[in-house]
Amino acid sequence: DAGVTQSPTHLIKTRGQHVTLRCSPISGHKSVSWYQQVLGQGPQFIFQYYEKEERGRGNFPDRFSARQFPNYSSELNVNALLLGDSALYLCASSLILYNSPLHFGNGTRLTVT
Amino acid sequence: ELKVEQNPLFLSMQEGKNYTIYCNYSTTSDRLYWYRQDPGKSLESLFVLLSNGAVKQEGRLMASLDTKARLSTLHITAAVHDLSATYFCAVDGNLGNTPLVFGKGTRLSVIA
């Protein structure tokens, strides 16, 4: 079975631009979470979606937004990119909303110049 | 606010030696996860610890959870080079749907 897939794998953008990252969960998983991992740090929670509704939001500015589609795939959007947005963005899916282990994708490496 | 602290953050150990990584967390939780991350790669789930006193072992790694002390340990036995990676613990709160909070990670290097 396919795991969590993310695209693109690498991305280079300049300050002020906008970016869209995509994630397809494991088949049958209804919850998708997004995490940001800055080099040398642990992942930080950005969003969680379940059944197309936002169920959790981390301490990130409004420049960050996300959505989940009827097929449970998800997009993370970041507007007005800053240098500090350079990071590995990880998507994780889980079967249900509560008490369900997260399965992580390989991530999208975003570099903002 | 849930905080998760790991120590040490960096660990260089010789092959064949034993060592323990510690994970402390600040609020009540009975669900703790250990992940492994290789450079440039995603997170691989190692252990899920769901109750006080839980102990799980896989190969040379053994994880345990003490919810009263808010402490988990990851013990490495007779280290080999293939264990070189960054290890993260992650905790979620006991308030229903709370996201995982990760520690900063322990970068382990096993040398000959």
Side-chain angles (χ1 to χ4, degrees):
Chain A
D1 285 341
V4 178
T5 56
Q6 292 187 243
S7 63
T9 55
H10 294 84
L11 203 51
I12 299 175
K13 293 283 191 178
T14 56
R15 280 175 294 178
Q17 285 189 315
H18 160 270
V19 69
T20 297
L21 311 181
R22 295 178 174 83
C23 171
S24 293
I26 292 172
S27 178
H29 285 196
K30 298 183 177 181
S31 179
V32 170
S33 300
W34 288 94
Y35 285 79
Q36 180 197 65
Q37 187 179 19
V38 174
L39 196 62
Q41 300 291 319
Q44 285 208 299
F45 173 71
I46 311 175
F47 286 110
Q48 182 177 31
Y49 277 77
Y50 179 74
E51 291 285 12
K52 295 166 288 180
E53 290 188 5
E54 181 184 303
R55 295 302 190 102
R57 171 185 284 255
N59 187 24
F60 281 80
D62 291 343
R63 299 184 296 107
F64 288 76
S65 63
R67 55 180 176 168
Q68 186 178 32
F69 298 99
N71 66 355
Y72 303 110
S73 66
S74 177
E75 283 183 355
L76 175 70
N77 295 283
V78 187
N79 292 324
L81 284 167
L82 303 174
L83 295 179
D85 295 331
S86 296
L88 179 67
Y89 288 84
L90 294 164
C91 173
S93 74
S94 58
L95 193 60
I96 55 176
L97 184 58
Y98 300 121
N99 304 334
S100 186
L102 296 182
H103 300 264
F104 285 87
N106 287 333
T108 294
R109 172 74 62 188
L110 172 65
T111 302
V112 182
T113 62
Chain B
E1 180 187 352
L2 174 58
K3 294 188 185 300
V4 180
E5 290 189 358
Q6 285 182 239
N7 69 83
L9 297 182
F10 298 93
L11 177 57
S12 180
M13 56 189 299
Q14 285 187 312
E15 283 187 329
K17 297 292 186 182
N18 304 334
Y19 209 85
T20 300
I21 299 171
Y22 297 89
C23 175
N24 291 91
Y25 53 97
S26 61
T27 63
T28 302
S29 175
D30 55 8
R31 290 186 297 279
L32 189 138
Y33 306 81
W34 284 96
Y35 289 90
R36 167 181 172 148
Q37 187 176 39
D38 292 295
K41 303 292 186 181
S42 188
L43 298 169
E44 174 191 353
S45 178
L46 294 174
F47 300 109
V48 180
L49 303 169
L50 298 177
S51 61
N52 186 42
V55 177
K56 291 198 174 179
Q57 183 163 5
E58 180 74 33
R60 300 174 188 275
L61 300 178
M62 183 173 71
S64 66
L65 178 62
D66 181 345
T67 58
K68 294 179 182 176
R70 300 179 186 168
L71 170 69
S72 179
T73 60
L74 180 66
H75 187 73
I76 303 157
T77 301
V80 294
H81 179 71
D82 285 351
L83 291 179
S84 298
T86 299
Y87 293 85
F88 292 95
C89 64
V91 180
D92 62 20
N94 270 353
L95 301 177
N97 180 31
T98 52
L100 285 187
V101 176
F102 284 80
K104 290 187 175 181
T106 297
R107 186 179 297 179
L108 171 66
S109 177
V110 181
I111 55 178

